[in-house]
Amino acid sequence: MLFEVVTTASMLGVWGASHYYRTNTSNDSDKILKIAENCGLYKKDEKLRLFRRNRSKDGSYTEYVYKIPLGLELEDFTDKYGKFKDGLNNRSVHRIDLREFKRLKLDRTLLKQMQRILNNRVQLNKELEMEYDGMLKIRVYNEGLQEKYDLTQEIMRKCKPWHVALGRTLNGQVDHDFESGPHLLIGGATDMGKSNILNVIINTLLHNHADEVKFTLIDLKGGLEFGVYENIKQVQNFAADVFDAKTALENVQAEMSKTFDMLRRTGKKNVKQAGIKERHFVIIDESAELASEGEVDREIKKLKIECENLIKDIARRGRASGIRLLYCTQYPTAETVSSQVKRNLITRICLPVDTSTASGVVLDEGGAEKLPLIQGRSIYKRNRTKVMQSYFIDEDLISQTVTPHINFRARSEKSSASQRGKKEESARSYTTVIEEA
């Protein structure tokens, strides 16, 4: 009897899946046409017209290709993105999970268990992408992005030279090549996953290029975010305040100028032509702390202006000399991201922000203010924009990657110096000083 029950249920599941696909794709096409009409996306008697329908090989999405009325453009449709998405997700559907049949209990509740499985309904969670190449293409994905994708050693290992796997889109993985896109601007609201993206980048580079990568880490949140990397041998400069930041940036500029002198002498245009394999990554977390605009202390303002000028020089000349700049901020404004730096940071990542203005500072366009408030959900912009969920790297993987490179002697010396400082301070606090009248 059980065999008959399971066999019948399996047949129902296959029938349900095929029925779901037939009715769902048909309904999606009809819905898209109806939504376009209700949104006024037509010209006189000319309406959106379906040209063809293609289903992906893995069944994850269906692509609808439309001929759009003359006088309309892609932006007319992307502006209505939210209406299309909500319209495609305005109902729940039966969803039969065959794995549930393996968990059936052979007791008097068997019938109720089966009814629960067969009557299971889920809210639709479809995502869509739009593009135009003479025809409007709308891809409707059966499922949206997950809220978490874990980074693994295997993912890091498969990255090509100087590539970093940043995350996943609906189409697959986002790989960023630091050779073709040397500098990166990252912005987003507090606690939205910016530090995690930096950890993904640092650990991938460390995992794949331990002998060729160098870091200058400027952590202007007190050194807490980058503290785990402070004592690894690849870190050339580490700064936790504006004073140390200026010194670190001056060191990078000196190295850059030395490399330029070598390139001129040898007649090479860049380090790649010169056969130099090393790459130096300058990562500034919370660059807003270096902004001189609004600083009231005259000396600190002067110091910040010097830092800004150093950053502009690194952004301008860094590519040829093998220096890569990652410029990050929680407060993307015109004051914290200068136009001179921004012009050289072509690749952008923007996590959720509160206004279209903030999105525009990072991406030169709105969109990030509409992202769901999910850590790691972001817009990656290179040649075009992509919504991605960045990979999540856990503390264990960071520890596995970093520990082999820690300079324990340097850490011990630094700890000893810190302890000596504390003892001296303590001794001074108990010393009585008697002044002569």
Side-chain angles (χ1 to χ4, degrees), residues 84-113:
F84 280 100
K85 180 178 177 180
D86 290 347
L88 292 172
N89 288 299
N90 69 344
R91 65 187 180 91
S92 62
V93 294
H94 280 103
R95 186 70 56 85
I96 299 175
D97 187 349
L98 297 181
R99 292 172 297 184
E100 290 294 322
F101 289 108
K102 295 181 179 180
R103 304 186 184 102
L104 287 172
K105 296 180 180 179
L106 303 180
D107 55 27
R108 66 181 65 183
T109 66
L110 180 60
L111 183 58
K112 288 184 178 180
Q113 294 176 56

Side-chain angles (χ1 to χ4, degrees), residues 243 295-306:
F243 299 96
E295 178 60 59
V296 294
D297 186 293
R298 185 174 297 178
E299 291 301 316
I300 297 296
K301 186 179 182 73
K302 180 182 176 182
L303 185 65
K304 288 185 175 182
I305 290 174
E306 291 174 344

Side-chain angles (χ1 to χ4, degrees), residues 212-350:
E212 299 166 347
V213 70
K214 296 189 295 185
F215 295 106
T216 286
L217 302 179
I218 300 176
D219 181 355
L220 296 172
K221 288 186 285 189
L224 299 180
E225 292 295 343
F226 291 155
V228 68
Y229 309 113
E230 183 175 1
N231 295 302
I232 63 174
K233 58 188 178 182
Q234 290 83 358
V235 172
Q236 305 293 298
N237 307 285
F238 189 93
D241 57 41
V242 177
F243 299 96
D244 289 342
K246 178 176 178 288
T247 302
L249 292 169
E250 286 175 335
N251 291 341
V252 174
Q253 186 186 54
E255 176 189 322
M256 184 172 62
S257 297
K258 184 178 178 180
T259 302
F260 263 81
D261 289 341
M262 181 276 295
L263 293 173
R264 277 195 296 270
R265 289 196 308 270
T266 58
K268 304 298 183 182
K269 292 182 178 180
N270 53 57
V271 290
K272 191 172 184 179
Q273 284 189 2
I276 297 174
K277 294 182 178 181
E278 283 189 346
R279 298 293 181 267
H280 190 159
F281 287 77
V282 179
I283 305 178
I284 305 174
D285 193 12
E286 205 32 70
S287 54
E289 296 296 322
L290 295 179
S292 61
E293 185 74 22
E295 178 60 59
V296 294
D297 186 293
R298 185 174 297 178
E299 291 301 316
I300 297 296
K301 186 179 182 73
K302 180 182 176 182
L303 185 65
K304 288 185 175 182
I305 290 174
E306 291 174 344
C307 288
E308 288 174 334
N309 290 332
L310 288 164
I311 292 169
K312 291 172 186 176
D313 189 31
I314 292 168
R316 181 173 58 88
R317 296 196 295 154
R319 177 175 187 144
S321 57
I323 293 172
R324 310 302 185 226
L325 176 63
L326 279 69
Y327 191 83
C328 315
T329 181
Q330 294 176 356
Y331 311 101
T333 66
E335 290 74 32
T336 59
V337 185
S338 75
S339 59
Q340 292 183 26
V341 171
K342 189 175 171 180
R343 279 200 299 269
N344 291 288
L345 276 60
I346 305 300
T347 307
R348 323 276 175 81
I349 297 175
C350 194

